[in-house]
Amino acid sequence: MYQSKNKSYGIIAVIYYCIFFGGLFLAGLLYQKGFTFSMNIIYCSLFVMGVLIALIKDRNIYNLGFRKEKIRINLIVSLIIVVITFVVVWVFSDLTFNNLVKQMLYYLFYIAAIEEILFRGLIQNYLFGLKLNKYVIYIIGALFFSFMHIPFQMFVHHNVSLNYLVEALPNLIETFISHFIYCFIAYKRKDITIPIALHYAYNFLGVIV
């Protein structure tokens, strides 16, 4: 995880992120016009594109954040986090069990898994193709992850202006910091399994907050 790569990886990371950002902006425009399912279609298409980039470029899933090293213990820890989080939300939430299961699957796979694979896996790994100080590379990855939350959400909140940046600043800072935490864990544990579980837990616990 997070080792120096040749320049082509850095170029791919930047281009892919620009496409990703533009795709979410387009999804927001379509959402505003009443195409409420546009986000799902575009978001999933962008995810598939990212996975294909890694499979074509690397012919493996290592740069998506998955390695065999430490995988068994990582999966066990992740499963414990997922189960404990579900039980806590089940105890304190008013949602029915069926709705909780749907919410769990949504936050675990649609949000946490996809974002971790793309941002702590593909993009952050590929950014190490930029010949910059490693801390600068992590900061770029954190900025990419933070700003990713802007284009679609400002349409959802009906505030397509710079004012939205001010309103969303606390969340952007929080997201910025979370990137470093997830990257640190991914680096230490050699893959993104535990960050996926923690990302899911953080978002899913929001159901009862």
Side-chain angles (χ1 to χ4, degrees):
M1 292 288 289
Y2 309 146
Q3 298 176 345
S4 180
K5 294 176 175 58
N6 68 53
K7 190 175 181 180
S8 65
Y9 282 91
I11 294 172
I12 290 172
V14 173
I15 292 174
Y16 174 71
Y17 180 77
C18 290
I19 294 172
F20 192 93
F21 190 92
L24 295 187
F25 187 85
L26 174 61
L29 283 172
L30 294 172
Y31 178 87
Q32 189 179 52
K33 295 181 181 299
F35 297 98
T36 55
F37 289 100
S38 61
M39 177 58 172
N40 293 334
I41 296 171
I42 293 175
Y43 183 63
C44 291
S45 298
L46 291 169
F47 172 67
V48 171
M49 180 189 298
V51 172
L52 288 176
I53 287 172
L55 292 178
I56 293 171
K57 177 71 174 173
D58 305 309
R59 299 174 190 252
N60 59 56
I61 59 174
Y62 294 159
N63 281 325
L64 291 176
F66 298 104
R67 291 180 179 271
K68 294 180 180 179
E69 188 177 354
K70 298 184 179 181
I71 188 63
R72 181 174 298 177
I73 186 64
N74 288 348
L75 286 173
I76 292 172
V77 172
S78 299
L79 181 59
I80 291 171
I81 293 171
V82 169
V83 172
I84 290 176
T85 301
F86 182 83
V87 172
V88 171
V89 176
W90 186 15
V91 170
F92 293 99
S93 172
D94 294 329
L95 295 176
T96 65
F97 182 81
N98 286 340
N99 282 334
L100 278 175
V101 171
K102 291 178 182 178
Q103 290 287 310
M104 181 197 74
L105 295 175
Y106 170 79
Y107 284 115
L108 179 57
F109 295 106
Y110 187 78
I111 301 297
I114 289 180
E115 290 187 4
E116 291 303 313
I117 289 170
L118 293 182
F119 285 89
R120 256 63 66 189
L122 179 74
I123 292 175
Q124 187 62 73
N125 269 306
Y126 273 38
L127 282 174
F128 276 84
L130 301 177
K131 302 308 177 183
L132 300 170
N133 179 280
K134 66 178 181 178
Y135 298 109
V136 174
I137 293 174
Y138 282 121
I139 290 172
I140 293 172
L143 289 172
F144 278 7
F145 182 55
S146 298
F147 291 146
M148 177 273 290
H149 293 80
I150 295 174
F152 182 75
Q153 289 300 321
M154 62 183 183
F155 285 99
V156 172
H157 290 90
H158 307 290
N159 186 9
V160 186
S161 69
L162 292 176
N163 289 333
Y164 179 75
L165 291 178
V166 177
E167 293 179 4
L169 188 59
N171 288 332
L172 293 177
I173 293 174
E174 183 181 316
T175 305
F176 181 86
I177 294 172
S178 71
H179 178 79
F180 292 101
I181 296 172
Y182 296 143
C183 280
F184 177 77
I185 296 170
Y187 177 77
K188 288 295 185 180
R189 299 307 306 170
K190 307 301 184 184
D191 75 9
I192 60 170
T193 309
I194 293 177
I196 288 174
L198 291 173
H199 193 154
Y200 143 84
Y202 178 78
N203 287 335
F204 195 31
L205 287 171
V207 171
I208 61 175
V209 173

